[in-house]
Amino acid sequence: MAPPSPINFGILGCAFIAGKVSRAITLSPNSTLYAIGSRSYEKAAKFAKENGFPDSAKVYGSYDAVLDDPEVDAVYVPLPTSLHIKWAVLAARKKKHLLLEKPVALNVGELDVILEACESNGVQIMDATMWMHHPRTAKMKEFLLDSSLFGELKSVHSCFTFAVDKNFLENDIRVKPDLDALGALGDVGWYCIRSILWAADFELPKSVLALRGAVLNSAGVILACSASMQWEDGKTATFHCSFLANLTMDLSVVGTNGTLRFHDFVIPFEENKASFLTSVKSGFTELVTGWEPKPSEHTVSTDLPQEAHMVSEFSRLVGSIKFDGAKPETKWPTFSRKTQLVVDAVKTSIDRGYEVVEVKS
Ligand SMILES: *[C@@H]1O[C@H](CO)[C@@H](O)[C@H](O)[C@H]1NC(C)=O
Ligand SMILES: *[C@@H]1O[C@H](CO)[C@@H](O)[C@H](O)[C@H]1NC(C)=O
Ligand SMILES: *[C@@H]1O[C@H](CO)[C@@H](O)[C@H](O)[C@H]1NC(C)=O
């Protein structure tokens, strides 16, 4: 049995999202905020102070110093996507387990370099797709797997949008070709694609077709796009992702016997509980004036926010490697890789003028 030692986290960089994950590490059992590194020591010190790092936490003026600290078990990497390959590979070589922000890489070729480094150094990698870890997600999966309730999957529709301001469109790293070249596709489309794959039990689609009308900025970075996917057995999916429309996080999963729907799939409306709607064998009322039965709402309470569930699961896996000699869990990198493959296919479809792109693993 593993000793109850906490997993020591180091954070590379002071990205905005790192504040949320720092809080999650604090809330999560068996996880400790141990070190923060930034290119500027002052920035790192300020971040540590503002984000509840314990007084004992190490503050470093470089990312390398975090990776060189032998007490650091795992690193959270919220750096711009173009820097992932360098820092994720270095971290793996220093035997640090990796919680890597999404999109995990600029393309699957880069991701494979990262995954190879993790595998050959025996470290766990997990991407920071938080909603996957909400207890609601597991509940919804039970519904989807119940053929008498849901039946066979036919179609998925996913939408994640938020409206950014002028400053974001000019200055945010997510619109810069040298930092986050995948733009809205990598930032918000990632979640849509992940939700579709999740609903399809991570069976990859056969082909992807981006819909005409993607919006790109003058540097060619995607600000909004839509795409469709098709599977061998006739299942289909669509998604829309955008920086140019007001906030939506919608997911509909359509089966032969039932339907799953909800409107806050990436970030629940509330932190301590989340709901979803299911319809099972709905029809019309006798005079076709309404639905019968109506959808039912299911609410799942949670003591911890979804990002703390994510950190706990990651620390559990790291702990079993560190203390029990377990092997890294392959499920999470497989999910990352499949998501990246579909992201790449959508990008390729747009780049080729909206051609159908076969998805090859
Ligand atoms: C924390 O670690 C201990 C010892 O490894 C383990 O028994 C316990 O289940 C862990 N707690 C969580 C919430 O992972
Ligand atoms: C759907 O429900 C019916 C019973 O109402 C059942 O016979 C059927 O096997 C279920 N599954 C599918 C895939 O439609
Ligand atoms: C949605 O629109 C409202 C009104 O313009 C704006 O205040 C709000 O910031 C927008 N939110 C997002 C996330 O797009």
Side-chain angles (χ1 to χ4, degrees):
M1 203 45 225
S5 310
I7 300 303
N8 285 336
F9 278 82
I11 297 183
L12 301 191
C14 304
F16 178 70
I17 188 74
K20 180 168 171 176
V21 173
S22 296
R23 173 174 172 260
I25 293 168
T26 305
L27 290 172
S28 164
N30 293 0
S31 310
T32 301
L33 279 174
Y34 178 82
I36 169 83
S38 165
R39 284 171 300 173
S40 136
Y41 177 87
E42 287 68 34
K43 245 179 106 182
K46 184 163 176 279
F47 183 89
K49 195 155 174 274
E50 289 171 356
N51 288 281
F53 279 61
D55 292 338
S56 58
K58 300 284 172 51
V59 175
Y60 292 119
S62 74
Y63 307 143
D64 282 304
V66 176
L67 300 184
D68 285 333
D69 187 324
E71 297 302 316
V72 169
D73 298 303
V75 287
Y76 168 59
V77 182
L79 299 171
T81 312
S82 61
L83 300 178
H84 284 189
I85 183 161
K86 172 175 176 189
W87 291 103
V89 168
L90 276 175
R93 286 193 190 139
K94 303 270 176 166
K95 313 282 184 205
K96 307 304 184 196
H97 303 277
L98 261 175
L99 182 59
L100 185 58
E101 254 316 322
K102 36 57 55 181
V104 284
L106 291 175
N107 54 59
V108 80
E110 287 195 354
L111 177 58
D112 282 345
V113 174
I114 296 172
L115 295 182
E116 204 288 312
C118 291
E119 203 181 327
S120 58
N121 288 286
V123 300
Q124 182 68 50
I125 177 170
M126 182 193 272
D127 70 49
T129 309
M130 299 169 181
W131 71 268
M132 294 290 290
H133 302 271
H134 196 294
R136 172 176 66 174
T137 304
K139 270 278 169 242
M140 295 188 298
K141 194 76 212 183
E142 283 173 23
F143 172 75
L144 296 181
L145 290 174
D146 189 327
S147 66
S148 65
L149 297 176
F150 180 73
E152 205 185 301
L153 176 64
K154 289 294 181 186
S155 198
V156 191
H157 305 281
S158 184
C159 185
F160 183 8
T161 64
F162 62 95
V164 302
D165 59 17
K166 194 160 168 288
N167 182 43
F168 184 110
L169 286 177
E170 282 165 10
N171 301 313
D172 196 88
I173 62 165
R174 286 166 283 183
V175 299
K176 300 286 184 194
D178 54 336
L179 297 172
D180 264 317
L182 294 168
L185 175 61
D187 191 41
V188 282
W190 172 274
Y191 291 101
C192 298
I193 290 167
R194 172 58 62 85
S195 69
I196 291 167
L197 290 172
W198 169 79
D201 263 336
F202 288 91
E203 182 194 339
L204 281 170
K206 182 172 176 284
S207 64
V208 165
L209 172 63
L211 306 188
R212 287 184 187 281
V215 181
L216 278 60
N217 70 10
S218 57
V221 176
I222 296 167
L223 302 178
C225 70
S226 308
S228 60
M229 298 173 206
Q230 193 138 36
W231 280 257
E232 203 76 69
D233 66 0
K235 283 195 291 284
T236 59
T238 62
F239 77 87
H240 177 65
C241 64
S242 174
F243 288 152
L244 306 174
N246 208 243
L247 190 57
T248 59
M249 297 181 179
D250 292 353
L251 185 63
S252 302
V253 186
V254 181
T256 47
N257 278 340
T259 306
L260 167 73
R261 281 191 214 91
F262 58 123
H263 303 290
D264 58 351
F265 84 92
V266 183
I267 299 170
F269 296 131
E270 290 175 75
E271 208 173 40
N272 56 3
K273 63 179 200 293
S275 310
F276 60 96
L277 292 172
T278 59
S279 309
V280 177
K281 295 177 184 137
S282 277
F284 302 116
T285 52
E286 209 179 330
L287 276 177
V288 198
T289 51
W291 292 36
E292 186 56 42
K294 286 195 257 303
S296 48
E297 185 168 12
H298 310 264
T299 301
V300 179
S301 301
T302 170
D303 49 342
L304 291 175
Q306 59 182 5
E307 57 274 16
H309 282 289
M310 172 182 78
V311 169
S312 300
E313 171 64 1
F314 178 71
S315 288
R316 187 184 68 78
L317 295 171
V318 171
S320 60
I321 296 166
K322 183 174 173 183
F323 301 117
D324 299 335
K327 291 253 181 297
E329 165 72 82
T330 55
K331 174 177 94 173
W332 297 109
T334 304
F335 291 175
S336 305
R337 191 170 189 277
K338 288 185 174 182
T339 310
Q340 186 79 47
L341 278 169
V342 178
V343 167
D344 288 9
V346 174
K347 178 81 168 54
T348 303
S349 180
I350 294 171
D351 290 347
R352 291 189 186 155
Y354 308 100
E355 266 181 29
V356 175
V357 173
E358 301 288 317
V359 180
K360 295 198 192 72
S361 62

